[in-house]
């Protein structure tokens, strides 16, 4: 069970905002996988 909460926001029409959201999802997925494996997640790009 996740210890963080997410809030659904209205979709943004900005291409930059969509790109940043995609990068954020990728980094969060990577951190979650590392956490499940018992490793420390790497932050940043």
């Amino acid at each position: 069970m996740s210890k963080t909460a997410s809030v659904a926001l209205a979709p943004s029409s900005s291409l930059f905002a969509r790109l940043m959201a995609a990068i954020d999802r990728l980094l969060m997925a990577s951190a979650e996988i590392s956490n499940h494996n018992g490793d420390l997640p790497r932050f940043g790009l």
Side-chain angles (χ1 to χ4, degrees), residues 19-33:
L19 177 64
M20 293 304 293
I23 292 172
D24 181 58
R25 282 192 301 270
L26 179 66
L27 290 174
M28 288 300 292
S30 174
E32 188 172 334
I33 290 168

Side-chain angles (χ1 to χ4, degrees), residues 1-39:
M1 186 165 161
S2 178
K3 292 184 179 181
T4 60
S6 62
V7 177
L9 301 175
S12 175
S13 61
S14 168
L15 182 61
F16 180 72
R18 289 183 191 180
L19 177 64
M20 293 304 293
I23 292 172
D24 181 58
R25 282 192 301 270
L26 179 66
L27 290 174
M28 288 300 292
S30 174
E32 188 172 334
I33 290 168
S34 294
N35 191 21
H36 285 300
N37 289 336
D39 301 331

